[in-house]
Amino acid sequence: QVQLVDSGGGSVQAGGSLRLSCAASGATSSFRCMVWFRQAPGKEREGVAAIYLGGGAKYYADSVKGRFTIFPDNTKNTMYFQMNSLKPEDTAMYYCAASADVAACTIWESPRRFTYWGQGTQVTVSS
């Protein structure tokens, strides 16, 4: 049974940093693409970063490029999301997601491509 557990959220001031974690257990060797999504109140869930585990390619939404970094620690079966220079508009619930579909990273912004989800962790950035 696959399980993803998100953690690391919190409240910070604009310009601050947070590191989110997504701890995976179960059949994680089947994962081919992992993504961080976020959802703000009243808005649709949006993909912010992805990593293709087959080759290491990384993808970022324009809104977070240069500020956020997605990276895995395979020894811990954990995916991290380093968020720097946070802005109030980054406030949202953040979710990690994974897929065993090798094509999932080709349309990584679509939540429907992902089977496994963490429970989410709240990030709040104040101005």
Side-chain angles (χ1 to χ4, degrees):
Q1 181 178 355
V2 173
Q3 186 175 24
L4 301 179
V5 179
D6 300 329
S7 63
S11 296
V12 298
Q13 290 190 325
S17 298
L18 284 172
R19 178 176 290 186
L20 306 184
S21 301
C22 173
S25 60
T28 58
S29 61
S30 66
F31 292 172
R32 292 298 176 265
C33 185
M34 292 190 74
V35 180
W36 282 98
F37 287 89
R38 68 185 180 187
Q39 188 166 19
K43 295 188 176 181
E44 292 187 354
R45 191 167 297 190
E46 64 168 341
V48 288
I51 182 167
Y52 174 57
L53 299 176
K58 299 177 182 181
Y59 311 90
Y60 296 94
D62 288 343
S63 59
V64 306
K65 277 181 183 175
R67 299 189 298 123
F68 295 3
T69 304
I70 185 172
F71 63 98
D73 183 337
N74 295 326
T75 65
K76 297 180 179 180
N77 274 351
T78 299
M79 180 67 62
Y80 295 101
F81 199 36
Q82 179 66 41
M83 305 188 297
N84 298 328
S85 302
L86 282 159
K87 304 175 180 181
E89 52 263 43
D90 295 319
T91 295
M93 185 72 81
Y94 284 72
Y95 303 88
C96 74
S99 174
D101 181 357
V102 296
C105 269
T106 61
I107 316 178
W108 62 271
E109 300 94 333
S110 174
R112 290 177 293 179
R113 301 296 295 232
F114 294 86
T115 305
Y116 308 107
W117 289 84
Q119 83 287 2
T121 185
Q122 177 68 38
V123 172
T124 303
V125 185
S126 58
S127 58

